[in-house]
Amino acid sequence: MLKNILHSTTIFLVFFFCSSVASDNWQTWYEAHNKNSTPRYDETIAFSKRLADASPMLHYTSFGQSHQLRDLPLLILDKDGHFTPEAAHEAGKVVLMVMAAIHPGEPVGKDAGLELLRDIVIHGEHEDLLENVTLLFIPIFNVDGHERFGPYNRINQNGPEKMGWRTNAINLNLNRDFLKADTKEMQHFIQLWDHWQPDFFIDTHSTNGADYQYTMTYMLEIFGNMEENLSDWCENEFLPFWEKRMKEDGYPVFSYVTYRRWHDPRSGLQTRVAPPALSTGYATQRNRPGLLLETHMLKPYHKRVESTYLTLVHTMEFLNRENYSLKTLVAAADEKTASTMFRSLPFPLDFEATDDSVMVDFKGVEYRIKESSLSGGDWFIYDSDKPITYEIPWFKKQEVTAQVMLPEAYIIPVQWTEAIETLALHGIIMHRLEEDVRLQVESYRFEDVSLSQSVNEGRQTASFQTVPVQETRNFPAGSALIPMNQESARIIAHALEPQAPSSFAYWGFFNSVFQRTEYFESYVMEEMAREMIKEDPSLEKRLEIKLQQDADFASNPRAILNWFYEQTPYVDQKHNVYPVGRIMDPDLMERLTGQ
Ligand SMILES: [Zn+2]
């Protein structure tokens, strides 16, 4: 009897001990593995669900499935249980969206975010930051690439021991896919964005590039490509606060820059404006601050994670305090973008750094250049133990290299389904024509067209010059009329203005218009050309001039006949013509939409 009691007590104690260890063990995988290892997908999901089960403040859900049918995880943190966008926005909360592992070889955001959520919901730390902030955390965005897991996925990088792969299961880089949305992951993300309308966005990475002292560099649009009041807020409110806090924590930050001459600090620093194919460029064109974090590949993994963790905390600190000011600015920017006034000024599409610079102190490291006996090239040897502050020029001032006057509406003929459906995915408001219409529109003719020789994100991209044209065109029933008096007008313009850096035309949505599909027989053209000269003798004189001026032309019989062909009515009127129309007349737009 006594023995039995002892035995059952032992069992009870063993059971009690095990269960208490299990429930108290809230170490993340990363913490439990020397801070140099990152959890696989299954472990990440299991830990996320465990956290959510343990706290009424945290909700686990999925916002769709990847190409390989993995769930795309989302954690929603709100101390009042506002787990819908309606509830969170109505309560005046700033919705902060944090994305991790869009490049799974750079999983800092996942490990920092899981640690932070654990500290908040289990240890009760930082809870005060949730008064006015709702956090949406995507621990792994590129879930399929994440499971292409191994030690050899990032040749330059200092940890973690194993990691995922940059691209997704169909070898596309999700951080080029924000506007064209070719991948299932991005399509689900865009719907998530549209549903939640986050107020502030953070995308977490580790970067390659020359060595320097900073563990973290960042990009936040303050260079002229964002609504100006929001841009001011980023530059003069958010950045000074966050930069100061990071410096106090021992992690001074610097803007994400490249050297003007590859690897060479003395050549100076330059900044590029992010186009909307990239995460933070997309956020910017949606009138939301988008903070890109780039921790440096050579810094130890735990430092990269810690600096990311601290950035999340300090961002929440600031947003918790400034929720009202940010939400007011975001709402005003949305309203302004939809206004008539927005269409009365030129809209910048593309930028380039100018030769105008400011001198800055940049915390670099000593380096020397050796001529390589192996490759014959310059071998940059950085000495990370020898920090040095360079006073060098920073070329951050941007000039606009392409801009347009925005129309009242765009009209896309019904047959260009990819363009229409992709815009619909972005939540763009559009009207479908109920009957065929004939309209006066502005559009473009493409010249100097060339297509990329190598594949670019699975596509053949196009480069060209655009010449504006005014034409009367037929638009069949079902064509999409896209009014510009909407909050997403910047996204629409970036998609539909061909010269924009991430435009649908650039990505090859309209490549078929570059193909000529009817040809003349030379013997037919020989006769027809003679007839044409008979009817219009001036042709002969013009041909003479052309022959004298252009030797290549003069020695190419086919080109000479083609010159005549191009002056016949048989020439294809739609070859190299942009099918999308720009409607400039507000009355016409109103008539078409019945508004
Ligand atoms: Zn990256």
Short mmCIF file of all heavy atoms in Angstrom, two decimals, residues 197-247:
data_model
loop_
_atom_site.label_atom_id
_atom_site.label_comp_id
_atom_site.label_asym_id
_atom_site.label_seq_id
_atom_site.Cartn_x
_atom_site.Cartn_y
_atom_site.Cartn_z
N GLN A 197 -5.94 47.55 -44.88
CA GLN A 197 -5.47 48.92 -45.05
C GLN A 197 -4.54 49.33 -43.90
O GLN A 197 -4.85 50.26 -43.13
CB GLN A 197 -6.67 49.89 -45.11
CG GLN A 197 -7.64 49.60 -46.22
CD GLN A 197 -7.18 50.14 -47.56
OE1 GLN A 197 -6.43 51.10 -47.63
NE2 GLN A 197 -7.59 49.50 -48.63
N PRO A 198 -3.39 48.67 -43.77
CA PRO A 198 -2.48 49.02 -42.67
C PRO A 198 -2.03 50.48 -42.76
O PRO A 198 -1.99 51.05 -43.84
CB PRO A 198 -1.29 48.07 -42.86
CG PRO A 198 -1.38 47.61 -44.28
CD PRO A 198 -2.83 47.66 -44.66
N ASP A 199 -1.67 51.05 -41.61
CA ASP A 199 -1.24 52.45 -41.60
C ASP A 199 0.27 52.59 -41.74
O ASP A 199 0.77 53.66 -42.10
CB ASP A 199 -1.67 53.12 -40.28
CG ASP A 199 -3.17 53.10 -40.11
OD1 ASP A 199 -3.86 53.73 -40.93
OD2 ASP A 199 -3.67 52.42 -39.18
N PHE A 200 1.00 51.55 -41.39
CA PHE A 200 2.47 51.61 -41.42
C PHE A 200 2.93 50.19 -41.73
O PHE A 200 2.40 49.22 -41.21
CB PHE A 200 2.98 52.06 -40.04
CG PHE A 200 4.42 52.51 -40.01
CD1 PHE A 200 4.72 53.87 -39.93
CD2 PHE A 200 5.48 51.60 -40.03
CE1 PHE A 200 6.05 54.31 -39.89
CE2 PHE A 200 6.81 52.03 -39.98
CZ PHE A 200 7.10 53.39 -39.92
N PHE A 201 3.95 50.10 -42.59
CA PHE A 201 4.40 48.79 -43.06
C PHE A 201 5.89 48.64 -42.85
O PHE A 201 6.66 49.58 -43.10
CB PHE A 201 4.06 48.65 -44.55
CG PHE A 201 4.51 47.36 -45.18
CD1 PHE A 201 3.91 46.16 -44.85
CD2 PHE A 201 5.53 47.36 -46.12
CE1 PHE A 201 4.33 44.97 -45.43
CE2 PHE A 201 5.96 46.18 -46.71
CZ PHE A 201 5.35 44.97 -46.36
N ILE A 202 6.31 47.47 -42.36
CA ILE A 202 7.75 47.19 -42.19
C ILE A 202 8.07 45.87 -42.90
O ILE A 202 7.37 44.87 -42.72
CB ILE A 202 8.14 47.07 -40.70
CG1 ILE A 202 7.88 48.39 -39.97
CG2 ILE A 202 9.60 46.66 -40.55
CD1 ILE A 202 8.23 48.37 -38.48
N ASP A 203 9.11 45.89 -43.71
CA ASP A 203 9.57 44.69 -44.41
C ASP A 203 11.01 44.42 -43.96
O ASP A 203 11.85 45.32 -44.01
CB ASP A 203 9.49 44.95 -45.92
CG ASP A 203 9.88 43.73 -46.73
OD1 ASP A 203 9.82 42.61 -46.19
OD2 ASP A 203 10.22 43.90 -47.92
N THR A 204 11.28 43.20 -43.52
CA THR A 204 12.56 42.90 -42.85
C THR A 204 13.47 42.03 -43.71
O THR A 204 13.05 41.00 -44.23
CB THR A 204 12.28 42.16 -41.52
OG1 THR A 204 11.51 40.98 -41.79
CG2 THR A 204 11.51 43.03 -40.56
N HIS A 205 14.71 42.45 -43.86
CA HIS A 205 15.68 41.76 -44.73
C HIS A 205 17.07 41.73 -44.09
O HIS A 205 17.34 42.36 -43.08
CB HIS A 205 15.83 42.53 -46.05
CG HIS A 205 14.64 42.52 -46.91
ND1 HIS A 205 14.56 41.79 -48.08
CD2 HIS A 205 13.44 43.15 -46.80
CE1 HIS A 205 13.39 41.98 -48.64
NE2 HIS A 205 12.68 42.80 -47.89
N SER A 206 17.99 41.01 -44.80
CA SER A 206 19.43 41.17 -44.59
C SER A 206 20.02 41.46 -45.95
O SER A 206 19.61 40.85 -46.94
CB SER A 206 20.06 39.90 -44.01
OG SER A 206 19.62 39.70 -42.68
N THR A 207 20.97 42.38 -45.97
CA THR A 207 21.48 42.81 -47.28
C THR A 207 22.91 42.35 -47.53
O THR A 207 23.70 42.18 -46.60
CB THR A 207 21.43 44.35 -47.40
OG1 THR A 207 21.84 44.72 -48.72
CG2 THR A 207 22.35 45.03 -46.39
N ASN A 208 23.24 42.16 -48.78
CA ASN A 208 24.62 41.99 -49.21
C ASN A 208 25.25 43.37 -49.35
O ASN A 208 24.66 44.36 -48.96
CB ASN A 208 24.68 41.27 -50.56
CG ASN A 208 24.17 39.84 -50.44
OD1 ASN A 208 24.14 39.26 -49.37
ND2 ASN A 208 23.78 39.27 -51.57
N GLY A 209 26.41 43.44 -49.95
CA GLY A 209 27.02 44.73 -50.23
C GLY A 209 28.28 44.94 -49.41
O GLY A 209 28.64 44.11 -48.57
N ALA A 210 28.94 46.07 -49.70
CA ALA A 210 30.22 46.38 -49.06
C ALA A 210 30.08 46.38 -47.53
O ALA A 210 29.00 46.59 -46.99
CB ALA A 210 30.68 47.75 -49.53
N ASP A 211 31.19 46.19 -46.85
CA ASP A 211 31.17 46.14 -45.39
C ASP A 211 31.21 47.57 -44.82
O ASP A 211 31.79 48.48 -45.40
CB ASP A 211 32.39 45.36 -44.88
CG ASP A 211 32.18 44.89 -43.43
OD1 ASP A 211 31.07 45.08 -42.90
OD2 ASP A 211 33.15 44.37 -42.85
N TYR A 212 30.56 47.73 -43.68
CA TYR A 212 30.57 48.99 -42.92
C TYR A 212 30.19 48.67 -41.48
O TYR A 212 29.95 47.49 -41.15
CB TYR A 212 29.63 50.03 -43.54
CG TYR A 212 28.30 49.50 -44.03
CD1 TYR A 212 27.35 49.04 -43.13
CD2 TYR A 212 28.00 49.47 -45.39
CE1 TYR A 212 26.14 48.55 -43.58
CE2 TYR A 212 26.78 48.98 -45.85
CZ TYR A 212 25.85 48.53 -44.93
OH TYR A 212 24.65 48.04 -45.37
N GLN A 213 30.14 49.70 -40.63
CA GLN A 213 29.90 49.43 -39.21
C GLN A 213 28.43 49.16 -38.86
O GLN A 213 28.14 48.50 -37.88
CB GLN A 213 30.38 50.63 -38.37
CG GLN A 213 31.88 50.85 -38.40
CD GLN A 213 32.24 52.12 -37.63
OE1 GLN A 213 31.87 52.33 -36.49
NE2 GLN A 213 32.99 52.99 -38.28
N TYR A 214 27.53 49.71 -39.64
CA TYR A 214 26.11 49.63 -39.27
C TYR A 214 25.61 48.19 -39.33
O TYR A 214 25.81 47.49 -40.33
CB TYR A 214 25.25 50.48 -40.21
CG TYR A 214 25.69 51.92 -40.27
CD1 TYR A 214 26.48 52.38 -41.32
CD2 TYR A 214 25.33 52.80 -39.25
CE1 TYR A 214 26.90 53.69 -41.36
CE2 TYR A 214 25.76 54.12 -39.28
CZ TYR A 214 26.54 54.56 -40.34
OH TYR A 214 26.96 55.86 -40.37
N THR A 215 24.92 47.77 -38.27
CA THR A 215 24.23 46.48 -38.33
C THR A 215 22.98 46.64 -39.19
O THR A 215 22.61 45.73 -39.93
CB THR A 215 23.83 46.02 -36.91
OG1 THR A 215 25.03 45.85 -36.15
CG2 THR A 215 23.05 44.71 -36.93
N MET A 216 22.36 47.82 -39.09
CA MET A 216 21.10 48.01 -39.80
C MET A 216 21.12 49.28 -40.64
O MET A 216 21.51 50.34 -40.17
CB MET A 216 19.96 48.10 -38.79
CG MET A 216 18.60 48.37 -39.43
SD MET A 216 17.30 48.34 -38.21
CE MET A 216 17.02 46.58 -38.09
N THR A 217 20.71 49.13 -41.89
CA THR A 217 20.39 50.30 -42.70
C THR A 217 18.91 50.21 -43.06
O THR A 217 18.28 49.16 -42.88
CB THR A 217 21.25 50.38 -43.98
OG1 THR A 217 21.06 49.19 -44.73
CG2 THR A 217 22.71 50.57 -43.66
N TYR A 218 18.36 51.31 -43.55
CA TYR A 218 16.90 51.33 -43.75
C TYR A 218 16.56 52.20 -44.96
O TYR A 218 17.35 53.04 -45.40
CB TYR A 218 16.20 51.91 -42.52
CG TYR A 218 16.45 53.39 -42.38
CD1 TYR A 218 15.60 54.34 -42.97
CD2 TYR A 218 17.59 53.85 -41.70
CE1 TYR A 218 15.89 55.69 -42.88
CE2 TYR A 218 17.87 55.20 -41.61
CZ TYR A 218 17.01 56.12 -42.21
OH TYR A 218 17.29 57.45 -42.14
N MET A 219 15.37 52.01 -45.43
CA MET A 219 14.85 52.91 -46.46
C MET A 219 13.43 53.31 -46.06
O MET A 219 12.63 52.46 -45.67
CB MET A 219 14.81 52.17 -47.79
CG MET A 219 14.27 53.00 -48.88
SD MET A 219 15.50 52.98 -50.18
CE MET A 219 14.46 53.38 -51.51
N LEU A 220 13.18 54.58 -46.11
CA LEU A 220 11.83 55.10 -45.87
C LEU A 220 11.71 56.24 -46.87
O LEU A 220 12.62 57.07 -46.97
CB LEU A 220 11.71 55.59 -44.42
CG LEU A 220 10.34 56.05 -43.95
CD1 LEU A 220 9.32 54.92 -44.00
CD2 LEU A 220 10.42 56.57 -42.51
N GLU A 221 10.62 56.30 -47.60
CA GLU A 221 10.52 57.24 -48.71
C GLU A 221 10.43 58.69 -48.23
O GLU A 221 9.42 59.10 -47.69
CB GLU A 221 9.29 56.89 -49.56
CG GLU A 221 9.07 57.81 -50.72
CD GLU A 221 10.33 58.07 -51.53
OE1 GLU A 221 10.88 57.13 -52.09
OE2 GLU A 221 10.77 59.23 -51.55
N ILE A 222 11.55 59.39 -48.43
CA ILE A 222 11.56 60.83 -48.09
C ILE A 222 12.20 61.60 -49.24
O ILE A 222 12.74 62.68 -49.06
CB ILE A 222 12.34 61.09 -46.77
CG1 ILE A 222 13.73 60.46 -46.83
CG2 ILE A 222 11.57 60.58 -45.58
CD1 ILE A 222 14.64 60.85 -45.69
N PHE A 223 12.16 61.01 -50.43
CA PHE A 223 12.92 61.59 -51.54
C PHE A 223 12.03 62.15 -52.65
O PHE A 223 12.47 62.32 -53.79
CB PHE A 223 13.89 60.54 -52.11
CG PHE A 223 14.81 59.97 -51.06
CD1 PHE A 223 14.59 58.70 -50.55
CD2 PHE A 223 15.85 60.73 -50.55
CE1 PHE A 223 15.42 58.17 -49.57
CE2 PHE A 223 16.68 60.22 -49.56
CZ PHE A 223 16.47 58.94 -49.06
N GLY A 224 10.78 62.40 -52.34
CA GLY A 224 9.91 63.05 -53.32
C GLY A 224 8.89 62.16 -53.98
O GLY A 224 8.12 62.61 -54.82
N ASN A 225 8.88 60.87 -53.60
CA ASN A 225 7.97 59.94 -54.27
C ASN A 225 6.78 59.57 -53.40
O ASN A 225 6.15 58.55 -53.60
CB ASN A 225 8.75 58.66 -54.65
CG ASN A 225 8.01 57.83 -55.67
OD1 ASN A 225 7.19 58.34 -56.43
ND2 ASN A 225 8.28 56.54 -55.70
N MET A 226 6.50 60.42 -52.41
CA MET A 226 5.38 60.12 -51.52
C MET A 226 4.57 61.40 -51.29
O MET A 226 5.10 62.49 -51.45
CB MET A 226 5.91 59.61 -50.18
CG MET A 226 4.84 58.99 -49.30
SD MET A 226 5.53 58.51 -47.72
CE MET A 226 4.32 57.34 -47.19
N GLU A 227 3.34 61.23 -50.91
CA GLU A 227 2.51 62.38 -50.57
C GLU A 227 3.29 63.23 -49.57
O GLU A 227 3.86 62.71 -48.61
CB GLU A 227 1.18 61.89 -50.00
CG GLU A 227 0.12 62.96 -49.85
CD GLU A 227 0.30 63.84 -48.62
OE1 GLU A 227 0.79 63.33 -47.58
OE2 GLU A 227 0.00 65.04 -48.71
N GLU A 228 3.34 64.56 -49.82
CA GLU A 228 4.36 65.35 -49.14
C GLU A 228 4.20 65.49 -47.61
O GLU A 228 5.20 65.52 -46.90
CB GLU A 228 4.49 66.74 -49.78
CG GLU A 228 3.20 67.50 -49.82
CD GLU A 228 3.34 68.75 -50.70
OE1 GLU A 228 4.40 68.91 -51.35
OE2 GLU A 228 2.39 69.55 -50.71
N ASN A 229 2.96 65.51 -47.11
CA ASN A 229 2.81 65.64 -45.66
C ASN A 229 3.22 64.36 -44.93
O ASN A 229 3.81 64.40 -43.85
CB ASN A 229 1.37 66.00 -45.30
CG ASN A 229 1.01 67.39 -45.82
OD1 ASN A 229 1.85 68.29 -45.81
ND2 ASN A 229 -0.21 67.54 -46.31
N LEU A 230 2.92 63.23 -45.57
CA LEU A 230 3.35 61.95 -44.99
C LEU A 230 4.87 61.84 -45.03
O LEU A 230 5.50 61.36 -44.10
CB LEU A 230 2.76 60.79 -45.81
CG LEU A 230 1.44 60.22 -45.34
CD1 LEU A 230 0.96 59.15 -46.32
CD2 LEU A 230 1.55 59.62 -43.94
N SER A 231 5.44 62.31 -46.15
CA SER A 231 6.88 62.29 -46.31
C SER A 231 7.55 63.15 -45.24
O SER A 231 8.54 62.75 -44.62
CB SER A 231 7.22 62.78 -47.72
OG SER A 231 8.57 62.73 -47.94
N ASP A 232 6.98 64.34 -44.99
CA ASP A 232 7.48 65.23 -43.92
C ASP A 232 7.44 64.53 -42.57
O ASP A 232 8.37 64.63 -41.77
CB ASP A 232 6.60 66.48 -43.82
CG ASP A 232 7.03 67.52 -44.81
OD1 ASP A 232 8.05 67.29 -45.51
OD2 ASP A 232 6.34 68.56 -44.92
N TRP A 233 6.32 63.86 -42.32
CA TRP A 233 6.14 63.15 -41.04
C TRP A 233 7.23 62.09 -40.88
O TRP A 233 7.83 61.94 -39.83
CB TRP A 233 4.74 62.52 -41.03
CG TRP A 233 4.35 61.82 -39.77
CD1 TRP A 233 3.74 62.37 -38.68
CD2 TRP A 233 4.52 60.42 -39.47
NE1 TRP A 233 3.53 61.39 -37.72
CE2 TRP A 233 4.00 60.19 -38.19
CE3 TRP A 233 5.06 59.35 -40.17
CZ2 TRP A 233 3.99 58.93 -37.59
CZ3 TRP A 233 5.07 58.09 -39.58
CH2 TRP A 233 4.53 57.90 -38.30
N CYS A 234 7.48 61.35 -41.96
CA CYS A 234 8.51 60.31 -41.91
C CYS A 234 9.88 60.93 -41.62
O CYS A 234 10.63 60.45 -40.77
CB CYS A 234 8.58 59.56 -43.24
SG CYS A 234 7.16 58.49 -43.52
N GLU A 235 10.17 62.01 -42.34
CA GLU A 235 11.51 62.60 -42.25
C GLU A 235 11.73 63.35 -40.94
O GLU A 235 12.80 63.24 -40.33
CB GLU A 235 11.74 63.55 -43.44
CG GLU A 235 13.15 64.09 -43.50
CD GLU A 235 13.46 64.86 -44.77
OE1 GLU A 235 12.51 65.15 -45.53
OE2 GLU A 235 14.64 65.16 -45.00
N ASN A 236 10.71 64.10 -40.52
CA ASN A 236 10.93 65.00 -39.38
C ASN A 236 10.32 64.54 -38.06
O ASN A 236 10.59 65.13 -37.02
CB ASN A 236 10.38 66.39 -39.73
CG ASN A 236 11.06 66.95 -40.97
OD1 ASN A 236 12.28 66.85 -41.09
ND2 ASN A 236 10.28 67.46 -41.91
N GLU A 237 9.49 63.50 -38.10
CA GLU A 237 8.91 62.99 -36.85
C GLU A 237 9.41 61.58 -36.56
O GLU A 237 10.08 61.35 -35.57
CB GLU A 237 7.37 62.97 -36.95
CG GLU A 237 6.73 64.29 -37.35
CD GLU A 237 6.72 65.30 -36.21
OE1 GLU A 237 6.75 64.87 -35.04
OE2 GLU A 237 6.71 66.50 -36.50
N PHE A 238 9.08 60.66 -37.44
CA PHE A 238 9.41 59.26 -37.15
C PHE A 238 10.92 59.01 -37.12
O PHE A 238 11.46 58.46 -36.15
CB PHE A 238 8.74 58.31 -38.15
CG PHE A 238 9.19 56.89 -37.97
CD1 PHE A 238 8.69 56.12 -36.91
CD2 PHE A 238 10.14 56.31 -38.79
CE1 PHE A 238 9.13 54.82 -36.69
CE2 PHE A 238 10.59 55.01 -38.58
CZ PHE A 238 10.07 54.26 -37.53
N LEU A 239 11.61 59.40 -38.20
CA LEU A 239 13.03 59.04 -38.30
C LEU A 239 13.90 59.59 -37.16
O LEU A 239 14.68 58.82 -36.59
CB LEU A 239 13.61 59.45 -39.66
CG LEU A 239 13.26 58.53 -40.83
CD1 LEU A 239 13.91 59.03 -42.12
CD2 LEU A 239 13.69 57.08 -40.57
N PRO A 240 13.76 60.88 -36.79
CA PRO A 240 14.59 61.37 -35.68
C PRO A 240 14.36 60.58 -34.39
O PRO A 240 15.30 60.26 -33.67
CB PRO A 240 14.15 62.83 -35.52
CG PRO A 240 13.56 63.20 -36.84
CD PRO A 240 12.95 61.95 -37.39
N PHE A 241 13.09 60.23 -34.12
CA PHE A 241 12.78 59.46 -32.91
C PHE A 241 13.45 58.10 -32.94
O PHE A 241 14.17 57.70 -32.03
CB PHE A 241 11.25 59.30 -32.80
CG PHE A 241 10.82 58.40 -31.68
CD1 PHE A 241 10.58 58.90 -30.40
CD2 PHE A 241 10.65 57.03 -31.90
CE1 PHE A 241 10.20 58.05 -29.37
CE2 PHE A 241 10.27 56.17 -30.87
CZ PHE A 241 10.04 56.69 -29.60
N TRP A 242 13.19 57.37 -34.05
CA TRP A 242 13.70 55.99 -34.14
C TRP A 242 15.23 55.95 -34.20
O TRP A 242 15.87 55.14 -33.53
CB TRP A 242 13.07 55.32 -35.37
CG TRP A 242 13.64 53.99 -35.71
CD1 TRP A 242 13.62 52.86 -34.93
CD2 TRP A 242 14.35 53.63 -36.91
NE1 TRP A 242 14.26 51.83 -35.58
CE2 TRP A 242 14.71 52.27 -36.80
CE3 TRP A 242 14.69 54.33 -38.07
CZ2 TRP A 242 15.41 51.59 -37.79
CZ3 TRP A 242 15.37 53.65 -39.06
CH2 TRP A 242 15.73 52.31 -38.92
N GLU A 243 15.82 56.87 -34.97
CA GLU A 243 17.28 56.90 -35.09
C GLU A 243 17.93 57.15 -33.73
O GLU A 243 18.94 56.53 -33.38
CB GLU A 243 17.71 57.96 -36.10
CG GLU A 243 17.44 57.53 -37.53
CD GLU A 243 17.89 58.55 -38.57
OE1 GLU A 243 18.19 59.70 -38.19
OE2 GLU A 243 17.92 58.20 -39.77
N LYS A 244 17.33 58.06 -32.96
CA LYS A 244 17.88 58.38 -31.63
C LYS A 244 17.81 57.16 -30.72
O LYS A 244 18.77 56.81 -30.05
CB LYS A 244 17.08 59.55 -31.05
CG LYS A 244 17.53 60.03 -29.69
CD LYS A 244 16.93 61.40 -29.37
CE LYS A 244 17.25 61.83 -27.94
NZ LYS A 244 16.42 61.17 -26.93
N ARG A 245 16.65 56.51 -30.71
CA ARG A 245 16.48 55.32 -29.86
C ARG A 245 17.47 54.22 -30.24
O ARG A 245 18.05 53.56 -29.39
CB ARG A 245 15.06 54.76 -30.02
CG ARG A 245 14.02 55.54 -29.28
CD ARG A 245 14.04 55.18 -27.78
NE ARG A 245 12.82 55.57 -27.14
CZ ARG A 245 12.55 56.80 -26.70
NH1 ARG A 245 13.45 57.75 -26.84
NH2 ARG A 245 11.40 57.06 -26.12
N MET A 246 17.68 54.02 -31.53
CA MET A 246 18.57 52.96 -31.98
C MET A 246 20.02 53.28 -31.59
O MET A 246 20.78 52.39 -31.22
CB MET A 246 18.45 52.75 -33.50
CG MET A 246 17.11 52.17 -33.95
SD MET A 246 16.74 50.54 -33.21
CE MET A 246 17.79 49.48 -34.19
N LYS A 247 20.36 54.55 -31.69
CA LYS A 247 21.70 54.96 -31.30
C LYS A 247 21.91 54.70 -29.80
O LYS A 247 22.95 54.17 -29.40
CB LYS A 247 21.88 56.45 -31.62
CG LYS A 247 23.31 56.87 -31.75
CD LYS A 247 23.41 58.28 -32.29
CE LYS A 247 24.83 58.78 -32.14
NZ LYS A 247 24.92 60.21 -32.39
#
